[in-house]
Amino acid sequence: LSSFNSKLDIRGKRLDDAEKMLYEFLDTAYSLGQKDLAIVHGKGEGALRKATKVILKSLPYINSWKYEHADRGGEGVTHVELK
């Protein structure tokens, strides 16, 4: 539990690797009872941001998500709240 990091950085990852990392990260966080998470996907082309959104919409234990405030990464970081 103490080694769990509530922030996942997937910048620069290939899409399939990033998706695998995201599912593992979110499942682990949920099983540990974490509530607030941050996913750093960067702004770039938006492929990782879009993939993150699709995954978040597909999981039943996601309460809400939103992009971070502009001075904390804006659309390059998604803040996630788990149920």
Side-chain angles (χ1 to χ4, degrees), residues 69-83:
H69 192 273
D71 53 352
R72 289 191 299 278
E75 289 191 4
V77 181
T78 300
H79 179 263
V80 181
E81 187 181 301
L82 302 183
K83 289 183 178 170

Side-chain angles (χ1 to χ4, degrees), residues 21-42:
M21 290 171 68
L22 264 170
Y23 279 117
E24 288 176 6
F25 172 70
L26 293 165
D27 286 344
T28 300
Y30 182 66
S31 68
L32 292 173
Q34 299 289 313
K35 294 293 180 202
D36 293 307
L37 308 171
I39 301 166
V40 182
H41 39 68

